[in-house]
Amino acid sequence: MPTTPTRILISKQTLSSSVPSVSFSSLPQDYTHLELEAYARCTAADSRKNIYLRFNDDTLDKYSRTLMEGGGWGSGGARYNAQSSGGFLWADAQNSPEFWSIDRTFILNYKSPNILKTYTTTYHNSYTTHVGVNMYQSTDPIFKITLFAETGNIESGSSFRLYGIVG
Amino acid sequence: MPVHLIQFTSLSSTTTTVSFLDIPQFYDTLLLKCSTRQNTNGIIADYSLRFNNDTGTVYNSLGLSGVNGGHSGYAIGDQTLIEFQGMSCGALALANSFGTADIFIPNYSSGSQWKSVYSHTSNENNGTSNVWIRTNQNIYKKNSSVTRIDLIGTGGTSFVAGSKFSLYGMV
C-alpha cells in the first residue's frame, strides 16, 4: 500500500480572540487543489451571519455561486452572480448559543494560470445543511485567502485548517 | 483518515474516455476527484461512469439538482451507466472554466454487496444561467468488486486538454 500523503496540512489557525477576518497568505504553489475546513461562529447579534471569502484581496465583482440547502424549514436554492466576495459559511451567531457551524471547501486548480477558479462548499449550521458551487472569475494563481465576517467578528475559539491536495 | 493517490491523469490532448484499470483492492473507499471541460457544443456538458466495463442495466441514480438557483429531486433506474448531468463545462462556456466532481465509492472491493456511490458534481460560469449543482446517490447493482472505472463523454463528446482526474484510496 502506498504511503505518500496526499492531503497535507499547510496551516491551522485557532482564534484566541474574536477578529473580523482570518487570512492565509503566501500560499505554497506545490499542490493541485486546496481544501479548507472551518469550525466557526460569529459574534453578531443575530441567529446567523455570513463569513465571506476573497482571493488575493480581489474586491471586483468576479465571484458567483449557486447553492442548494435544506432543514426543518424545508428546502431551497439560490443564485448570486457578479459579487464582490465569494460564499463560504453561513455561521451560527450570538442568538444561536452553543451551536458551532462547520464547513468543508475544495478549491480546484488554485495555482493554474489558465483556469478560472471554481470551488465547492459544503456547510452545516443549526438551521440548514448546504451544498454550493462557486466561481472566482480569474485565472490568476491564488496566493492569499481571506475569510471575513459580514458584520461583527468571527468568534474566539473558531478554527480553520488549510490543506494542500496532491494529484 | 489516510488518503493515498492511486492515479492522477492530466490530459494533454482531447480524450473520449478516461479509464482507471487494475484498481488496487486494499482500500476501504475510493474517491474520484475531477476537473473537466468537454468539446460539447453547449455551455454545460455531461459524462458518465461505468464500472468493470459492465454495460448491463444495473445502475440506478437519485438525487437533488440545483439549476440556476432552483432545485428539484429526481430518480432514474436500470441504466447502462451512471450519468452525471451538468458536471462539466462545454465548448461554449466561459473560456478556461472547468466543472467539478467528487465521487465516493465505499466498499468498492467487497464481493458480496451492491456498490453505493455518492457524488457531488457542479459547474459554475459566473453567468445567470446554465449553472448546475447536483448531489447524487447511485447504485451499481452488482456484488462484484470494482476493478475498473471508465469515465465516458456523453454523446461521443471528449474531454479537452487540461482536464484532470485523481483517483484516491482511503483507509
Side-chain angles (χ1 to χ4, degrees), chain B residues 54-152:
Chain B
D54 189 339
T55 58
T57 52
V58 291
Y59 304 89
N60 292 2
S61 297
L62 61 85
L64 185 63
S65 292
V67 182
N68 306 331
H71 71 294
S72 60
Y74 73 97
I76 188 167
D78 299 334
Q79 301 296 294
T80 59
L81 35 67
I82 297 171
E83 182 168 341
F84 301 105
Q85 288 186 311
M87 67 194 296
S88 190
C89 292
L92 304 183
L94 272 179
N96 306 312
S97 60
F98 285 69
T100 71
D102 283 342
I103 303 167
F104 289 88
I105 311 164
N107 297 314
Y108 73 101
S109 62
S110 168
S112 60
Q113 296 176 358
W114 286 7
K115 307 302 178 293
S116 291
V117 181
Y118 164 74
S119 55
H120 179 195
T121 60
S122 55
N123 73 5
E124 175 52 269
N125 59 33
N126 203 18
T128 56
S129 61
N130 294 292
V131 179
W132 283 65
I133 182 169
R134 178 174 268 191
T135 183
N136 278 41
Q137 170 69 13
N138 314 275
I139 290 285
Y140 173 45
K141 297 183 287 184
K142 285 288 188 70
N143 293 339
S144 313
S145 60
V146 173
T147 58
R148 170 176 176 166
I149 298 172
D150 291 303
L151 300 175
I152 308 160

Side-chain angles (χ1 to χ4, degrees), chain A residues 1-4 6 32-33 61-66 68 75-79 81-82 106 108-109 114-116 118 120 122 131-135 137 139 165-167, chain B residues 3-5 8 26-27 33-35 64-66 68-69 71 94-98 100 102 120 122-128 131-135 162 164 166 168 171:
Chain A
M1 183 182 300
T3 56
T4 305
T6 57
T32 305
H33 311 300
D61 293 341
K62 297 179 179 176
Y63 303 85
S64 59
R65 63 187 186 275
T66 292
M68 296 187 295
S75 61
R79 168 93 189 128
N81 190 50
F106 285 100
L108 289 95
N109 303 301
N114 51 18
I115 292 180
L116 299 177
T118 296
T120 60
T122 304
V131 292
V133 58
N134 312 259
M135 173 173 277
Q137 196 176 336
T139 55
I165 306 296
V166 176
Chain B
V3 179
H4 301 144
L5 180 64
F8 174 60
F26 40 71
Y27 297 106
K33 184 176 276 294
C34 309
S35 171
L64 185 63
S65 292
N68 306 331
H71 71 294
L94 272 179
N96 306 312
S97 60
F98 285 69
T100 71
D102 283 342
H120 179 195
S122 55
N123 73 5
E124 175 52 269
N125 59 33
N126 203 18
T128 56
V131 179
W132 283 65
I133 182 169
R134 178 174 268 191
T135 183
K164 299 184 182 77
S166 302
Y168 301 94
V171 180

Side-chain angles (χ1 to χ4, degrees), chain A residues 37-59:
Chain A
E37 290 182 352
Y39 180 79
R41 287 178 50 83
C42 287
T43 61
D46 204 340
S47 296
R48 281 157 292 280
K49 278 296 176 189
N50 280 297
I51 297 175
Y52 290 123
L53 173 155
R54 279 202 182 107
F55 295 119
N56 299 342
D57 291 327
D58 192 339
T59 60

Side-chain angles (χ1 to χ4, degrees), chain B residues 31-45:
Chain B
L31 165 61
L32 185 54
K33 184 176 276 294
C34 309
S35 171
T36 57
R37 187 179 176 95
Q38 293 169 244
N39 60 4
T40 306
N41 185 28
I43 294 175
I44 62 171

